[in-house]
Amino acid sequence: MNRFHLLGASLVPLLGASRTLSEGATIGVCAVLMGGLHQLMLTPLRHRLASWAFTLASLLLLAALASCLQLALRAWWLPMALALGHYPALLCLQCLATDHMLPNHGRWRLLARYLAAVLGACLLLGAGRQWLGEVAGLHLASLAPGALILLGLLLALYNRLCTGPAHPRRQGTP
């Protein structure tokens, strides 16, 4: 299994916890907080620990951050914590995938762009699923398969708007 499989696993909280705009915004802010704090706290340890010790420290830090996040949600916003369920704990997968995918050079700039994209995707999915479920009357949009369909439509729209020359390996033969 290569490291790109981690990106597929990191979509679980994004798709499952964005039924409405408020849930999408909450899970997006939680993802930004966890991802940013995880990278910030791991920065002093990155060059001082061996690879196995660094991975263990990363997992322990993620467990602590996820626990604190869920406790804070339960203490200050119980209805949203109950609506999100265990999805904030699954943000640990997203943080692990981010840590393994980011290069050493230009790490913070790419992290900021990635976290902004995650927050934007959460907001778009939440708003789109809420509108489709409540205004358009499509009950499928409030379920997980509807989230996958809507994510596919948003990616297709993004690919259509951001046209550019295709890589030679990806061009089809006539």
Side-chain angles (χ1 to χ4, degrees):
M1 179 165 88
N2 62 14
R3 61 186 185 171
F4 291 107
H5 286 93
L6 291 173
L7 290 177
S10 69
L11 286 176
V12 172
L14 175 72
L15 296 176
S18 60
R19 287 186 301 263
T20 63
L21 179 60
S22 62
E23 289 178 12
T26 304
I27 200 73
V29 168
C30 290
V32 169
L33 280 175
M34 273 192 70
L37 286 174
H38 179 248
Q39 290 298 316
L40 184 67
M41 291 180 182
L42 281 181
T43 299
L45 302 176
R46 192 168 307 281
H47 300 293
R48 292 188 179 142
L49 295 176
S51 65
W52 65 271
F54 179 77
T55 304
L56 181 62
S58 176
L59 289 173
L60 288 173
L61 180 64
L62 281 171
L65 284 173
S67 297
C68 290
L69 177 69
Q70 285 194 315
L71 286 174
L73 278 174
R74 286 188 181 267
W76 290 309
W77 205 4
L78 185 61
M80 185 58 70
L82 293 176
L84 291 178
H86 295 291
Y87 286 114
L90 290 175
L91 290 173
C92 295
L93 294 171
Q94 193 172 22
C95 293
L96 279 176
T98 304
D99 189 44
H100 288 292
M101 300 292 287
L102 288 176
N104 289 333
H105 181 69
R107 186 174 197 87
W108 290 101
R109 185 177 306 139
L110 285 174
L111 178 68
R113 286 177 50 196
Y114 171 73
L115 292 176
V118 166
L119 181 62
C122 286
L123 290 173
L124 278 174
L125 273 173
R129 288 178 73 184
Q130 184 175 1
W131 183 82
L132 286 173
E134 293 176 4
V135 176
L138 295 172
H139 178 65
L140 178 66
S142 62
L143 302 173
L148 283 171
I149 293 169
L150 187 59
L151 182 65
L153 290 173
L154 287 173
L155 288 174
L157 179 66
Y158 174 79
N159 286 334
R160 180 71 177 154
L161 294 176
C162 297
T163 58
H167 194 273
R169 290 185 299 167
R170 295 188 181 192
Q171 290 179 351
T173 57

